[in-house]
Amino acid sequence: LPIYHCDRMTYKHAQVCILTDSTAQFTTSSFPGQELVRIIPFHVEFEKNLYPHGKGLRIEQLPDSARDGRSPVLQPPTTKIFRNSYSTLSKKYHDIITILISSRLSPTYEHARMASAALMTQESHSLIDSQTTGVGLGWLVQAAAEAAHNGASITSIKRLVHNLTTRVYTIFCIQSLTYINKAGYLDSAQANVGEMLNLIPLFTIEKGNLNPIQKARNMRHLADLLEEFISEFGSLKHIALLKGTLPFEHESRLLRERIKNKFPNTYYSEHTLGTPLATLLGPRSLSVIVMEED
């Protein structure tokens, strides 16, 4: 993901900066207010190389399992990195709104909170726990950036983002279970047995937590379950499919056709799983993310 830059004139008059992390995935390469967005990096360490933002490392290069000792290591931004970022950005912006990966999935939020407290600048720093990640986080950042671009007040932007967090729903199929064991979300025995049996488990993100819900029998059944998940909602604004390295091409086409038939007026998009998120949850992952209408 890119780090967006402004020219000196924009900086001089800009009031608000939106800071996020590199697990955020945007559904479009260009959106209103993107010049106000800054992305603080997750680094990925793999085979003695360091990849800032995961750039230069494809998810196809990541091992399917974290059992073999070759698994990548995700390095969240530290308190020091946040402190330096806040000090730099405070010279150019009056207010900084930080929207980050769920605090239940990463220590990133706590590192940002500690950095803000250390600088004693909480009045100009607004910190928001997105309670999600990936495309869901990207949606929140895009909405905040557009509101800031249109001149909305800090209070209005924060209210908007908090409202949107209750309307974003995510379901993950995760087959690289030893990755989430390594991250502390699943028992070691369950992860190892699940991978050996090639299980297809589903997880939802609820209040920021990764919660197991059920298992699919096969990939066709997985497509059925994902369609059921989407169909639980009435009016949807956006449906996104986030694809890792699962063999899901036929089922993806099937699911896409079903979505377009059932939700012909809903915006639909497909995206490749970003390297930082693939390092956290494993490359053999698939996710559906939906945003409800107001």
Side-chain angles (χ1 to χ4, degrees):
L1 291 174
I3 299 179
Y4 299 110
H5 296 281
C6 307
D7 58 28
R8 291 182 180 273
M9 186 61 69
T10 304
Y11 276 141
K12 182 178 178 181
H13 297 287
Q15 294 295 308
V16 182
C17 173
I18 312 296
L19 181 66
T20 190
D21 63 75
S22 54
T23 66
Q25 293 198 232
F26 302 116
T27 54
T28 177
S29 60
S30 177
F31 53 89
Q34 69 176 34
E35 74 280 1
L36 303 175
V37 174
R38 295 292 179 276
I39 303 174
I40 200 161
F42 273 78
H43 297 313
V44 178
E45 184 180 352
F46 183 56
E47 296 184 336
K48 299 182 180 180
N49 293 312
L50 194 65
Y51 299 89
H53 293 287
K55 294 177 72 172
L57 179 64
R58 303 188 314 275
I59 61 172
E60 292 82 7
Q61 296 174 258
L62 303 181
D64 287 344
S65 173
R67 286 181 294 168
D68 61 4
R70 290 184 54 247
S71 59
V73 176
L74 188 64
Q75 298 181 359
T78 63
T79 300
K80 181 179 179 181
I81 290 173
F82 273 109
R83 192 164 57 242
N84 291 341
S85 295
Y86 284 145
S87 295
T88 300
L89 293 172
S90 294
K91 297 173 183 176
K92 302 170 182 176
Y93 294 94
H94 185 269
D95 293 284
I96 303 168
I97 299 178
T98 306
I99 310 171
L100 299 170
I101 182 175
S102 168
S103 61
R104 302 297 181 91
L105 299 179
S106 168
T108 305
Y109 179 91
E110 179 62 16
H111 293 172
R113 187 197 64 77
M114 292 171 63
S116 180
L119 293 171
M120 295 186 293
T121 54
Q122 293 93 326
E123 289 185 4
S124 60
H125 290 184
S126 299
L127 183 57
I128 298 175
D129 181 350
S130 73
Q131 300 186 44
T132 188
T133 186
V135 170
L137 176 55
W139 280 340
L140 301 183
V141 172
Q142 287 176 239
E146 182 172 359
H149 175 78
N150 292 334
S153 68
I154 297 299
T155 301
S156 296
I157 297 171
K158 289 164 59 178
R159 186 185 302 118
L160 170 67
V161 174
H162 283 299
N163 176 262
L164 288 176
T165 60
T166 66
R167 292 162 44 202
V168 173
Y169 300 88
T170 302
I171 186 169
F172 274 102
C173 169
I174 299 174
Q175 283 200 287
S176 298
L177 293 172
T178 48
Y179 275 77
I180 61 174
N181 161 246
K182 186 178 177 182
Y185 309 136
L186 189 66
D187 176 80
S188 177
Q190 289 178 307
N192 287 315
V193 170
E195 281 192 355
M196 287 188 290
L197 295 177
N198 203 29
L199 297 181
I200 310 174
L202 290 171
F203 300 78
T204 57
I205 296 182
E206 297 178 15
K207 297 182 178 179
N209 285 305
L210 193 65
N211 294 319
I213 53 170
Q214 64 185 114
K215 302 179 185 69
R217 295 187 298 272
N218 49 49
M219 287 298 174
R220 178 62 180 261
H221 185 219
L222 174 61
D224 293 339
L225 292 176
L226 294 177
E227 182 186 1
E228 285 180 21
F229 170 79
I230 298 168
S231 298
E232 291 177 3
F233 303 94
S235 180
L236 293 175
K237 184 176 182 178
H238 195 146
I239 301 169
L241 184 66
L242 190 60
K243 300 188 292 185
T245 58
L246 281 176
F248 194 69
E249 287 309 313
H250 173 71
E251 290 79 6
S252 292
R253 289 193 296 271
L254 178 64
L255 184 61
R256 186 187 309 121
E257 291 171 3
R258 292 178 181 178
I259 290 171
K260 290 184 176 180
N261 286 333
K262 283 195 172 184
F263 299 91
N265 299 318
T266 300
Y267 186 77
Y268 173 79
S269 60
E270 294 187 11
H271 313 275
T272 300
L273 185 69
T275 303
L277 198 53
T279 304
L280 180 67
L281 301 179
R284 299 181 70 208
S285 298
L286 180 79
S287 178
V288 168
I289 313 95
V290 300
M291 177 183 284
E292 280 188 307
E293 291 278 11
D294 265 330

